[in-house]
Amino acid sequence: MKPTVRAPALRGSRHLLAAAVCLCLWSCAVNPVTHEREFVLMDEAQEVRLGEQAYPVYTQQSEGLFPDPDLQSYVDRVGQKLAGLSHRPSLAYAFNVVNDSETNAYALPGGKISITRGLLVRMENEAQLASVLGHEIGHVTARHAAAGYTRQVLAGLATAVGAAAIQVSGVRGGEWLLQGGALAANLVLMKYSRDQERQADQLGMLYMTRAGYNPDGMVQTMEILQAASSREPSAIEAMFQSHPLTSERVATARALAARQAPELRTAQRLRAAPFRQATARLRAVQPAYAEMDRGLKALADDRADEAARLMAEATRRAPDQALIWAMRALAESRAGRSGAALEAAERSAKLDPGLYRARLTAGVLAFKADRYRESLEHLDAADKLVPGQPTVTFYRGRDHEALGRRDEAARAYAAVLKKVREGEMAAYCYKRLVAWGYIKPAR
Ligand SMILES: [Zn+2]
């Protein structure tokens, strides 16, 4: 039995779209006032633009790309194959593996999709990977984020965020992040409804079977996640928050898989061998990341010495992983060893100059070691990777101040105060700007 083109899922997504359009018309009809007219359903161009702007930032927030170009292109190839067979084949899809230890996968509007190292390392074959990517593509093709956004706006929940969305349309870089970031955060962290999850599962299975994968891969993925969840609930939390996995979902997937053509349900079509080959490096360094995660836990519990010891062990096991060196720098710094901390941070930035965390850590630690020019170099790089973050701007100001460049420092401090109003950082900026006569003290 070949997958039919007019699958129920396709009709479902049309219904959803129709419903969303109705909501919008209803909203415009009720409130045809100028600023109300701005709260329209996100159109495709806006969706694409938002995804494109948020993708690099989200990738950095998820600890950057896992450093294995071959694996990155493998995952992208699998994703593109599915996307090309989806209901919105002409979107500019992108797929990457982010270096987050959490088990998760997410889709930004417009087809920008990420899967974490933490999820990928639990998988055994390409059909399982295809099921996750297909599910995320399903959220994109059915425009769940756009529908959720419209719903939130209409419910009055997203007024502030809605305003940010409008700014996004005329955006260029910097100022966007904090506000637009909140919007994007909303879209990504949005909890999908049960209906949307069901629909994404249906779409995912449709796409993966069209691509010739064994549909049992989807059932296997769900079983892996369920098993992991009963062993260590917190590890799967992020995934389950955005994509609640109910026993009904698993049963439905199982029934759906059973209805697919028998020639699809072969071991061959799970494609285990190419997957194992593509993920060999990932699995080889995973023990080091597990050690790093234990270190982070120790750090969170204020056991800095133990954290530093665990991080040192992790870097010994996988000395080429930039993220682990950055985390070691954090631990060494908290343990009061600033020399070792800076050294680890420099090593991290050298291994992966495109890793925001590495640049930020090296920049701050270099400032604290009075190495202002090196610090500026790292922080400028960090600012290019994720524009306009107050901490980065603040330390750039401190570097400029230390180098005697008062105007540049003042500009940075003023930029910080535009985004942060409270806390030590803001207090410092305010005090300096007053002392230098750039602003008058408030009475
Ligand atoms: Zn989902």
Side-chain angles (χ1 to χ4, degrees):
M1 186 180 80
K2 278 197 162 183
T4 53
V5 179
R6 273 195 155 264
L10 176 61
R11 288 201 301 275
S13 74
R14 283 198 181 139
H15 283 226
L16 190 81
L17 189 65
V21 169
C22 287
L23 281 174
C24 176
L25 290 176
W26 171 80
S27 141
C28 296
V30 174
N31 262 314
V33 197
T34 331
H35 70 273
E36 284 291 328
R37 247 192 313 147
E38 286 166 343
F39 294 118
V40 293
L41 174 72
M42 195 179 296
D43 66 18
E44 182 167 312
Q46 196 183 2
E47 201 186 338
V48 166
R49 196 164 42 230
L50 189 62
E52 269 169 8
Q53 282 164 344
Y55 200 42
V57 175
Y58 265 89
T59 295
Q60 293 296 343
Q61 279 182 0
S62 307
E63 307 298 2
L65 294 173
F66 179 75
D68 181 347
D70 290 343
L71 176 63
Q72 295 291 346
S73 55
Y74 167 77
V75 169
D76 190 61
R77 262 198 317 279
V78 172
Q80 298 293 350
K81 186 161 60 182
L82 299 164
L85 297 164
S86 77
H87 295 102
R88 295 174 83 188
S90 57
L91 282 176
Y93 288 88
F95 301 85
N96 69 20
V97 182
V98 290
N99 206 0
D100 200 323
S101 294
E102 289 224 40
T103 299
N104 206 1
Y106 55 84
L108 293 172
K112 305 293 189 243
I113 291 169
S114 296
I115 181 168
T116 62
R117 167 176 46 77
L119 175 52
L120 203 51
V121 81
R122 294 178 189 273
M123 296 180 163
E124 296 143 356
N125 60 54
E126 198 172 300
Q128 293 170 4
L129 169 64
S131 77
V132 168
L133 300 182
H135 176 100
E136 296 301 330
I137 293 169
H139 282 307
V140 173
T141 54
R143 307 194 79 213
H144 289 163
Y149 168 73
T150 304
R151 205 171 47 238
Q152 285 178 21
V153 168
L154 295 183
L157 295 172
T159 326
V161 214
I166 291 145
Q167 288 175 5
V168 167
S169 58
V171 75
R172 340 179 285 281
E175 292 303 306
W176 167 77
L177 185 92
L178 279 186
Q179 296 151 317
L183 172 66
N186 247 29
L187 294 177
V188 171
L189 303 176
M190 171 170 43
K191 188 173 170 176
Y192 295 114
S193 73
R194 284 182 180 203
D195 284 347
Q196 288 174 331
E197 281 307 285
R198 203 175 295 120
Q199 189 180 33
D201 284 345
Q202 279 176 9
L203 289 168
M205 193 167 286
L206 177 66
Y207 303 153
M208 73 186 284
T209 51
R210 278 180 180 173
Y213 287 109
N214 184 337
D216 294 331
M218 180 171 280
V219 181
Q220 292 172 359
T221 303
M222 290 175 174
E223 286 168 350
I224 288 170
L225 291 173
Q226 274 188 324
S229 163
S230 59
R231 275 198 316 270
E232 25 164 5
S234 64
I236 313 287
E237 212 180 314
M239 181 85 183
F240 282 11
Q241 247 165 32
S242 52
H243 312 274
L245 181 58
T246 56
S247 48
E248 181 248 66
R249 248 183 90 193
V250 186
T252 306
R254 207 171 276 138
L256 212 58
R259 287 211 298 273
Q260 304 296 322
E263 61 265 30
L264 279 178
R265 305 182 68 195
T266 64
Q268 176 80 9
R269 288 179 182 276
L270 288 171
R271 291 181 56 83
F275 181 86
R276 289 197 74 77
Q277 199 192 340
T279 55
R281 182 82 197 118
L282 181 100
R283 280 177 288 112
V285 295
Q286 182 56 26
Y289 279 103
E291 201 80 43
M292 178 191 88
D293 291 337
R294 281 192 285 278
L296 287 174
K297 176 130 201 339
L299 206 56
D301 297 343
D302 260 334
R303 291 175 279 128
D305 280 321
E306 192 191 340
R309 190 182 54 72
L310 289 162
M311 298 296 188
E313 173 59 20
T315 53
R316 194 192 58 75
R317 286 188 189 205
D320 60 347
Q321 299 296 303
L323 180 64
I324 303 182
W325 282 102
M327 296 305 192
R328 180 172 172 184
L330 272 183
E332 298 286 7
S333 173
R334 286 268 291 278
R337 290 187 288 274
S338 50
L342 181 58
E343 210 172 295
E346 294 279 3
R347 181 114 178 227
S348 172
K350 200 166 179 186
L351 280 167
D352 189 351
L355 180 62
Y356 174 78
R357 184 183 284 281
R359 294 297 205 160
L360 170 66
T361 310
V364 173
L365 291 173
F367 165 79
K368 289 183 173 164
D370 302 331
R371 288 162 53 179
Y372 308 117
R373 282 172 214 284
E374 283 115 311
S375 170
L376 265 180
E377 198 181 305
H378 288 303
L379 295 174
D380 286 347
D383 197 54
K384 283 202 182 71
L385 292 165
V386 182
Q389 291 300 288
T391 307
V392 172
T393 312
F394 176 72
Y395 280 101
R396 289 171 89 199
R398 297 290 304 265
D399 285 326
H400 284 304
E401 183 185 342
L403 290 166
R405 301 196 284 249
R406 187 174 283 190
D407 277 352
E408 271 147 304
R411 249 197 306 278
Y413 295 156
V416 171
L417 287 178
K418 269 192 188 161
K419 294 188 172 169
V420 186
R421 291 293 162 89
E422 283 169 359
E424 273 176 51
M425 223 161 63
Y428 184 95
C429 295
Y430 181 76
K431 213 171 75 188
R432 278 291 181 276
L433 289 175
V434 169
W436 295 340
Y438 286 90
I439 51 175
K440 285 201 178 77
R443 276 176 300 147

